[in-house]
């Protein structure tokens, strides 16, 4: 009964993200990057050879790590500092995305009180592993989490952000990334006041990537940033940051 509550086909699903849901991802850039050298693959999952052991993934197993509904948490997750430039990817869901949740609120189904308490202990144990920074904890957490979604043929996991307890992160299988549409990729920087400065935007036509900077094409960049703000307001109603620099 306890195992069915943990990995049962419906009991473990906290939420099915529906078509139109928004996700964001940030990628820190090296100082010597060139905007003309980016390819479409650079806006998706990292190369397998760069993937080490993580909370969910085993070495050489890439996943898409995203934040649901807002674009402030991704830059916190990768530790962007003032003056550093990074890519901000904005995706929109075009198909239902069922995920396993490690939140206590995901315990549903017809369970006895005793079984529910035991299941809560199991989830708390897994969450403690997730919050750990030690590789030995990640060996266990990655094995457990993969067994859970493989059992149910789910698309990934949703879990509380380590950097922001109010944010929900998702870890999505690369095999289902066609459920996501890449809407925009922005080149950004954190200014001295802690605000997002939009330096430019990448456009993709037939898998070819082109770049427009704010200095050379401010109208284009402003239009895309305004579209981003409008989408966020329509979907989640966050408070957009200062559009300084664009």
């Amino acid at each position: 009964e306890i195992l069915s509550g943990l990995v049962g086909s419906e009991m473990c699903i906290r939420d099915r993200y529906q078509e139109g849901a928004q996700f964001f991802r940030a990628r820190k850039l090296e100082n010597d990057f060139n905007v003309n050298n980016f390819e479409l693959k650079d806006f998706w999952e990292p190369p397998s050879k760069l993937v080490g052991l993580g909370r969910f993934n085993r070495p050489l197993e890439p996943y898409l790590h995203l934040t649901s509904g807002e674009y402030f948490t991704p830059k916190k997750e990768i530790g962007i500092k003032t003056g550093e430039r990074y890519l901000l990817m904005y995706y929109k869901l075009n198909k239902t995305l069922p995920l396993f949740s490690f939140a206590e609120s995901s315990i549903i189904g017809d369970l006895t009180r005793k079984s529910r308490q035991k299941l809560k202990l199991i989830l708390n144990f897994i969450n403690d592993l997730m919050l750990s920074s030690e590789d030995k904890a990640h060996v266990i957490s990655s094995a457990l989490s993969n067994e859970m979604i493989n059992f149910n043929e789910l698309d990934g996991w949703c879990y509380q952000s380590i950097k922001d307890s109010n944010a929900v992160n998702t870890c999505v299988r690369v095999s289902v990334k066609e459920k996501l549409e890449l809407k925009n990729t922005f080149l950004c920087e954190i200014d001295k006041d802690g605000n997002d400065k939009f330096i430019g935007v990448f456009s993709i036509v037939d898998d070819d990537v082109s770049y427009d900077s704010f200095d050379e094409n401010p109208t284009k960049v402003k239009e895309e940033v305004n579209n981003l703000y409008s989408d966020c307001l329509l979907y989640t109603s966050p408070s957009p940051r200062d559009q300084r620099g664009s």
Side-chain angles (χ1 to χ4, degrees), residues 78-95:
I78 61 174
I80 298 296
K81 299 176 182 178
T82 301
E84 292 184 333
R85 294 192 174 186
Y86 65 98
L87 296 180
L88 177 67
M89 279 71 75
Y90 165 36
Y91 310 88
K92 208 172 228 185
L93 195 61
N94 54 41
K95 291 183 181 179

Side-chain angles (χ1 to χ4, degrees), residues 203-220:
S203 301
I204 302 169
V205 178
D206 296 330
D207 292 345
D208 291 328
V209 178
S210 61
Y211 175 75
D212 289 289
S213 70
F214 178 78
D215 290 337
E216 296 178 353
N217 194 348
T219 301
K220 169 70 173 178

